[in-house]
Amino acid sequence: MLHSKTRWHSPAADPIAVEELARSLSISPLLSSLLVTRGLGTAADALQFMDGGAEDRHDPFLLKGMAEAVPRIKKALQEEEHILVYGDYDADGVSSTALMIYLLRYLGASFDIYIPHRSNEGYGLHNHALDWAVQQGVSLVITVDTGISAYHQIAYATELGIDVIVTDHHEPPELLPEAFALINPKLPDCPYPFKGLAGVGVAYKLAEAMLGDEVPEEWSEIAAIGTVADLMPLLGENRSLVRRGLSSMRHSPFPGIRALLDVSAVTMSTVSAVNIAFGMAPRINASGRLDHAGRAVALLTTTNSGEAEQLAGELDLLNKERQLVVERIVMEATAKFEQQTAEGTLPDIIVLADQGWNVGVVGIVASKLLDRYYRPVIILDVHPETGMCKGSARSIPGLDIYAALSSCAGLMDHFGGHPAAAGMSLHRDKLEDFAAALNEFAASVLQPEHFMPVTAADGETAISDLTLQAALDLDRLAPFGMANPLPKFIVRGAAVKETRKMGQDGKHLKLVLQQGKHTIEAVAFGKGALAQLLPGGTMVDVLAELSVNEWNGSRKPQLMLQDLAVPNAQLLDLRGTADAVKQAATLKELLLQYSSGTSFSAAAVFHNSRMTPLNQLKGMSLWVYDENAGISVLNQGQAETGEGKVSLLCLLDMPDTPEQLDAVLAAFPQAENIALLHSIRDGRDRLQIPTRDHFKSLYKLLASIAAVATPEHEVLLRLSRQSSLSVRMLGKMLEVFEELEFIKRSNGTITFVTQPAAKSLTASRHFVRLGETAEMEQYFMESSLSELQEWMLSRRLGAS
């Protein structure tokens, strides 16, 4: 049994509405169902969403502040003022800066750019940068993707004689800066109808206000990158902007974008929003995380192909380095957190800080810890000399992290962000109070259900509905991203037909799933370890995205697995594994990832004679086979089995007798997974199911070998030479003869009884026991998994 990592939730679409929409638009029921469940149940709404139109684009002068900003910029152009574009170091900030560069180049302006260094300076507008701007002769600053919280810094700029136009999209604070113009759709009194613009989206609207219909179409490529990278909702105007950007990107005139697509291994002709999110954006962000974002700006604005290829290669290497840095910090942060909570409960909000945690990647680390613990997470880097902490937060849907930070604003020097993500700085002396205040706020907001991760699906469907045409139809809903995710489908009761690992070191998993006559391939990246848990015939439920797999000119539908579950108890066939203890520990860690927040327990049963060190089985209850009691506990302190309900039961060794097996099954009647890890006994040493012919032949041999008292070892040696049976089998048969008084044992010798009383073999307890033990051994050593599973089920029913 495998529990899904998250709880799957899918809305039930009104079948009448689905049928009506499918009929009126001549679309498939699957596509119609998706549109209905996403609130697009009318033909007009559905067509508007799928095909777009002018209604998605709004007049830029509806943005408050735009009417003041445009004349001020035109005045600067006329009077040849020197302008400073002040940006940010993430992909949205880089894109916004690049877009303003293209605009000011187009307008023939005199300008400079300034992006703060993430580690050395941190987020936002800085006074020392304004001092530098004065020295450069700047009289107008245009901020992009930043500035809405810079009250004091903009006041300082005013003192210096610099006008500031703020273009931003972050949540505005209560105290707004007194800038020349504030352009932010989230301002309380801004009438702009679409509030979800990215920073680069606001910059694009400024370009529209300056140029009208003359905005070059290719600039939408820059806007698309920042919008997708900053996880803005791909609805309304964003959807239109990203769609246009992707269309232009497929034949992009920008050397930097072409080079970035190339190092990201993205095919230009099929570039999608998903490619931006997982290919281009991480490389752009790597520049600001580990170096300076100016390198990424240079890439997006260069006109030289050679320079573009060099810069794209540098960003690719930085991204690889970033991945290694993240991996190290995740390990350190996880160890630190588990040490802190070893004896206690998990806090509502996890706050971790340490030196040497690169401030450029702490947001990624926070995301990874959130995935592991499903709690809001704040990770901070501590400066060793000043004690200042800079960090990033990532939150779960139940908690607005910006609101949480606002509740303890007095403890921080600076903070800003969104409900799902934020950044902050504070002194380490305030860390304890900071964590306490955040958890106090969280305790008043979060309920137990908020800590149960839920994945929204778009419906339950059958494999027969997941056709190539259905996969192609889904493209009409693209681009996919925030607020318009790739459709996810639940398929229940599919049989695993084939299982194999793929990729380097077998890191990835490929399955063929079957329902009736219909099959489909399914790929799960990073889940190769699950192959051993999913043999052919396993019934699974899967949560997956539908895609098109193109290979050698052929196209077919393919599922990209996001999560899976095995709803029934499993018998895991790992017989003959080289290191049973190591394999048991590996299985425990693997299944723990699929415990879905439920209590997880594991047990191992083995022979008392096992010499292998057991330290890898830490946290498991340990049991040994017992000749009298069947099994007995080895580590009494860890013997709690929850009335036999264990997530994993590992049989490191095969039981010696059916009674021992029955004792195991009786002790763990609700085991979700039983792993067979025993070695395979050499065929020459196995028992055979006894027959009358076996005993008839042995009787004749004994008559000649043991007519007089003969040492037992000599009898066994001579019998083994004259018989095809193993010494172990012969020893068991001698026990039967002794019980029936056909032989006598005395002082290590055996004597054949010449005229024994007539007795039936079936009257011997040892004969019956030998038959049952041989049958058990045959199942454990030779039978198929399905045969063994059926036989053990019959034993389990008998044991219960």
Side-chain angles (χ1 to χ4, degrees):
M1 177 178 286
L2 284 179
H3 296 278
S4 58
K5 283 194 169 184
T6 67
R7 185 159 47 91
W8 307 340
H9 172 72
S10 63
D14 180 351
I16 297 175
V18 170
E19 183 179 354
E20 173 61 24
L21 187 64
R23 184 193 59 77
S24 63
L25 297 182
S26 299
I27 58 177
S28 69
L30 188 67
L31 179 58
S32 177
S33 176
L34 285 168
L35 289 165
V36 170
T37 56
R38 295 189 178 194
L40 301 163
T42 69
D45 288 344
L47 287 174
Q48 171 67 23
F49 185 82
M50 291 190 292
D51 301 333
E55 298 86 354
D56 288 332
R57 301 176 71 170
H58 306 294
D59 183 350
F61 286 97
L62 289 175
L63 282 161
K64 184 185 178 184
M66 192 67 80
E68 292 76 29
V70 171
R72 179 64 184 89
I73 296 172
K74 288 182 176 178
K75 175 178 178 291
L77 295 171
Q78 291 167 358
E79 299 182 4
E80 298 183 349
E81 295 181 56
H82 196 51
I83 301 171
L84 177 67
V85 177
Y86 194 104
D88 188 28
Y89 37 68
D90 68 0
D92 187 17
V94 165
S95 303
S96 304
T97 305
L99 188 60
M100 290 306 299
I101 289 174
Y102 281 112
L103 174 62
L104 294 178
R105 280 181 184 172
Y106 188 94
L107 295 170
S110 169
F111 68 94
D112 266 318
I113 68 167
Y114 191 99
I115 297 178
H117 191 283
R118 184 190 289 258
S119 299
N120 299 338
E121 297 173 276
Y123 176 81
L125 193 59
H126 297 285
N127 286 353
H128 64 262
L130 295 170
D131 291 334
W132 173 84
V134 169
Q135 295 172 6
Q136 305 307 309
V138 169
S139 54
L140 174 63
V141 171
I142 303 173
T143 74
V144 287
D145 193 35
T146 189
I148 197 64
S149 299
Y151 180 86
H152 297 290
Q153 292 83 359
I154 290 176
Y156 183 65
T158 302
E159 292 177 13
L160 297 175
I162 297 175
D163 288 337
V164 180
I165 294 173
V166 172
T167 72
D168 201 352
H169 74 125
H170 293 95
E171 296 292 336
E174 290 186 13
L175 185 63
L176 293 171
E178 297 177 359
F180 187 91
L182 292 178
I183 305 174
N184 184 334
K186 292 180 181 174
L187 288 170
D189 53 351
C190 179
Y192 198 74
F194 184 70
K195 305 297 182 181
L197 291 173
V200 72
V202 180
Y204 189 88
K205 300 308 291 187
L206 177 59
E208 282 190 339
M210 292 294 298
L211 302 181
D213 294 333
E214 295 180 15
V215 176
E217 184 64 16
E218 61 266 26
W219 290 7
S220 62
E221 298 178 37
I222 308 295
I225 291 172
T227 300
V228 172
D230 215 40
L231 305 179
M232 291 297 101
L234 295 191
L235 302 173
E237 192 164 14
N238 282 346
R239 179 173 171 79
S240 172
L241 194 54
V242 171
R243 177 178 276 175
R244 286 161 41 218
L246 290 170
S247 178
S248 176
M249 202 177 289
R250 288 170 188 139
H251 46 82
S252 178
F254 296 122
I257 287 181
R258 292 198 303 269
L260 191 56
L261 288 169
D262 186 51
V263 298
S264 303
V266 176
T267 304
M268 279 186 66
S269 61
T270 58
V271 63
S272 68
V274 174
N275 296 141
I276 292 177
F278 295 100
M280 302 172 75
R283 288 167 173 81
I284 293 173
N285 277 322
S287 177
R289 294 185 190 283
L290 299 186
D291 184 47
H292 191 280
R295 194 182 307 203
V297 172
L299 172 65
L300 294 183
T301 56
T302 183
T303 57
N304 184 288
S305 296
E307 182 185 17
E309 290 175 7
Q310 179 181 340
L311 288 168
E314 291 171 0
L315 293 193
D316 190 48
L317 289 175
L318 280 173
N319 190 51
K320 290 182 172 66
E321 181 183 347
R322 185 269 306 166
Q323 291 170 333
L324 295 174
V325 172
V326 167
E327 185 177 345
R328 172 184 64 81
I329 300 175
V330 166
M331 291 178 61
E332 293 176 1
T334 301
K336 188 181 187 75
F337 178 65
E338 297 200 344
Q339 183 179 10
Q340 290 177 0
T341 58
E343 303 299 329
T345 58
L346 295 181
D348 288 342
I349 298 182
I350 298 170
V351 180
L352 296 170
D354 209 340
Q355 295 179 17
W357 288 357
N358 189 310
V359 71
V361 301
V362 290
I364 302 174
V365 174
S367 293
K368 290 186 177 293
L369 264 68
L370 183 149
D371 289 342
R372 183 181 181 108
Y373 299 107
Y374 204 67
R375 294 284 194 281
V377 179
I378 297 177
I379 303 292
L380 301 115
D381 173 57
V382 183
H383 193 284
E385 296 173 4
T386 66
M388 285 304 298
C389 306
K390 293 180 181 179
S392 288
R394 297 293 184 270
S395 193
I396 59 178
L399 184 87
D400 182 335
I401 195 66
Y402 183 80
L405 292 171
S406 299
S407 72
C408 56
L411 294 172
M412 294 172 285
D413 290 31
H414 175 82
F415 75 99
H418 309 293
M424 74 295 298
S425 62
L426 68 157
H427 196 272
R428 65 181 163 202
D429 292 344
K430 296 180 181 179
L431 276 176
E432 188 173 337
D433 291 341
F434 177 63
L438 285 173
N439 275 281
E440 182 179 353
F441 177 88
S444 69
V445 174
L446 293 171
Q447 300 298 320
E449 60 268 22
H450 291 134
F451 297 115
M452 291 294 294
V454 177
T455 300
D458 291 275
E460 296 194 15
T461 188
I463 289 177
S464 58
D465 294 326
L466 302 175
T467 62
L468 175 61
Q469 187 57 52
L472 296 172
D473 284 348
L474 296 184
D475 281 342
R476 296 193 67 181
L477 302 181
F480 297 111
M482 292 299 291
N484 183 42
L486 271 163
K488 293 181 177 64
F489 302 101
I490 299 170
V491 178
R492 298 193 188 276
V496 175
K497 187 178 179 183
E498 297 177 24
T499 304
R500 69 180 177 89
K501 295 181 180 180
M502 58 184 233
Q504 188 175 10
D505 301 323
K507 187 177 181 180
H508 310 304
L509 176 69
K510 187 170 187 178
L511 303 174
V512 176
L513 302 177
Q514 182 170 17
Q515 279 182 330
K517 298 179 180 178
H518 301 277
T519 62
I520 192 168
E521 290 183 352
V523 173
F525 291 112
K527 291 184 171 65
L530 289 179
Q532 60 187 326
L533 307 183
L534 300 169
T538 303
M539 301 301 294
V540 297
D541 299 335
V542 300
L543 177 73
E545 296 168 352
L546 180 62
S547 64
V548 177
N549 180 26
E550 298 194 28
W551 180 253
N552 285 340
S554 67
R555 298 193 299 176
K556 58 184 176 180
Q558 177 178 264
L559 292 180
M560 306 303 294
L561 293 187
Q562 305 301 306
D563 200 359
L564 61 83
V566 178
N568 302 315
Q570 286 184 273
L571 186 65
L572 306 175
D573 188 2
L574 299 166
R575 291 175 285 185
T577 189
D579 188 335
V581 171
K582 181 180 179 181
Q583 183 66 66
T586 300
L587 282 175
K588 177 193 166 192
E589 290 303 312
L590 181 58
L591 288 169
L592 184 59
Q593 299 174 38
Y594 286 84
S595 60
S596 188
T598 59
S599 58
F600 182 92
S601 61
V605 189
F606 46 88
H607 289 145
N608 205 14
S609 59
R610 174 172 278 275
M611 303 300 293
T612 312
L614 303 174
N615 55 301
Q616 293 183 70
L617 303 181
K618 183 180 179 182
M620 299 176 70
S621 63
L622 305 181
W623 301 70
V624 293
Y625 294 115
D626 187 295
E627 188 173 342
N628 299 316
I631 61 169
S632 56
V633 66
L634 185 65
N635 53 346
Q636 188 66 44
Q638 299 181 29
E640 193 63 47
T641 62
E643 298 183 353
K645 186 173 184 179
V646 294
S647 308
L648 173 64
L649 173 62
C650 295
L651 303 187
L652 305 186
D653 299 309
M654 189 185 80
D656 287 327
T657 65
E659 291 83 2
Q660 290 180 352
L661 175 61
D662 292 342
V664 170
L665 297 177
F668 304 99
Q670 299 183 59
E672 293 181 348
N673 297 282
I674 300 178
L676 303 177
L677 303 167
H678 59 274
S679 58
I680 301 298
R681 183 170 276 147
D682 188 291
R684 293 171 298 178
D685 196 34
R686 294 183 191 172
L687 299 178
Q688 297 182 33
I689 295 177
T691 65
R692 292 183 180 277
D693 287 341
H694 287 142
F695 280 92
K696 186 176 180 180
S697 300
L698 183 63
Y699 188 85
K700 290 179 179 179
L701 289 173
L702 282 173
S704 61
I705 293 173
V708 296
T710 306
E712 185 167 339
H713 70 273
E714 184 179 329
V715 172
L716 284 171
L717 180 61
R718 293 177 63 183
L719 286 174
S720 67
R721 288 174 178 171
Q722 299 178 53
S723 168
S724 61
L725 302 175
S726 68
V727 172
R728 181 164 162 261
M729 179 70 177
L730 292 167
K732 299 285 187 183
M733 294 174 70
L734 289 178
E735 291 177 352
V736 174
F737 278 151
E738 181 184 22
E739 182 184 357
L740 297 176
E741 297 181 341
F742 292 173
I743 62 172
K744 288 184 179 179
R745 278 173 159 154
S746 177
N747 299 321
T749 65
I750 291 180
T751 305
F752 179 72
V753 176
T754 55
Q755 293 183 338
K759 294 180 182 178
S760 171
L761 282 172
T762 55
S764 167
R765 180 175 56 87
H766 283 92
F767 177 80
V768 174
R769 185 187 182 93
L770 173 58
E772 291 178 344
T773 304
E775 179 188 46
M776 178 190 74
E777 185 169 299
Q778 191 174 75
Y779 273 107
F780 269 79
M781 295 291 173
E782 300 173 12
S783 68
S784 67
L785 180 62
S786 59
E787 291 171 336
L788 178 55
Q789 192 158 8
E790 186 175 342
W791 181 78
M792 285 187 68
L793 177 61
S794 68
R795 300 295 304 195
R796 182 193 288 271
L797 292 174
S800 60

